[in-house]
Amino acid sequence: MGDMTSKRFFLQGMALVLGAASLPAVAKGGVSFGPAGAPDWSMETWTALFRKAPKEHSFKGVFIVSMPNVSSVSSSRITHVVHKRDVIERIEALTGQQRITYRRNAQATTVFPDAKIVRHEQLGAQGGVFPGAGDRFKAASAHYRVAPGGRGRIAGFETYTVDFRPLDGWRFGYRVWSDVKTGLVLKLQTLGSDGSVIEQSEFSELALDPAIKADALLAEMQRVPPGYKVVRSKAAVTTPAGEGWSVQDLPAGFEPVTCYKREPAKAHGWLQCVFSDGMASVSIFLERYDPERHRQEGHMSMGATHTLVTRSVDANKTEWWATVVGEVPTTTLRGVLKAMERLPGDKPARP
């Protein structure tokens, strides 16, 4: 399900689950903010700005994720290029296992030097991780309260601070530092119900709109080092109903975003469905229960990310192994799991 830093590279991707909303007037060279604190904008305006910035600006820098409650820190070197209609990224892990991930829109390639493996994946349709999801989340402001803050300075850039405070217990809160000129999010804190910092992500070094050769980055993405094994993960976009599932009574504010399955070839097949409230997201992975592989049920957490692993039996007496993961409280994971119901009948058990 991805390493901590890649998954938490939320600063430039947090609002990709959101569609375009009306933006304030943008002057040549960037958004014009006042000299005082952050503007008193709506949630839709703020998140649209966060979404727009990484689609218009290239950058590179060092990105750090820290989790105070577990004394964990990871870092990556990020190169993000906007080239014509493409968004291209190179994410090199600087801590932990050696790993370099390349992304071109929905295509991802990860190189594991220690294992000598290159893994190719298709992440979804082009045009954004969740194209057209914006209209679906216009009601997100019903579940958060926007609290504009003051000014700050991150990685040498002037920023404004804004809080998104949850109005119920289904979600965490967020504090965002946004670049004054571009709106690019430079720092993010995920906040618990008591306001404490659960997880923090930020750039410690950043170059904004540097000259980066996209062709060279794409060539690097396509290169397979001698002696490396190539692994391809194939996933097809689908719907819960198309796979024999219904979704009923999700936690308040959460809506289906996308769903896809991996066909069982040499690997075991699974179905993944993603839900979001416009800020937080939850994924549920469903696969047929296999007692040889699926042994340990339970719950775990690391920073803001909580994971629930459990076995369940559907109405057709078929056993399933469910993994629910998201940057939400555990009660939300259980709510998503409960919302997934197997359709009755004689449909073949999939995936």
Side-chain angles (χ1 to χ4, degrees), residues 278-338:
M279 293 288 285
S281 64
V282 179
S283 285
I284 182 168
F285 297 81
L286 293 163
E287 55 186 317
R288 288 293 302 273
Y289 173 67
D290 180 352
E292 294 299 318
R293 296 189 300 116
H294 304 140
R295 299 177 181 270
Q296 187 66 46
E297 297 181 79
H299 162 261
M300 65 196 77
S301 63
M302 179 173 285
T305 301
H306 289 243
T307 303
L308 176 67
V309 181
T310 188
R311 180 175 60 163
S312 64
V313 180
D314 66 24
N316 303 324
K317 306 302 182 183
T318 301
E319 292 185 299
W320 296 88
W321 190 253
T323 302
V324 196
V325 60
E327 292 144 357
V328 294
T330 306
T331 51
T332 309
L333 300 183
R334 297 189 185 280
V336 170
L337 176 63
K338 185 178 179 181

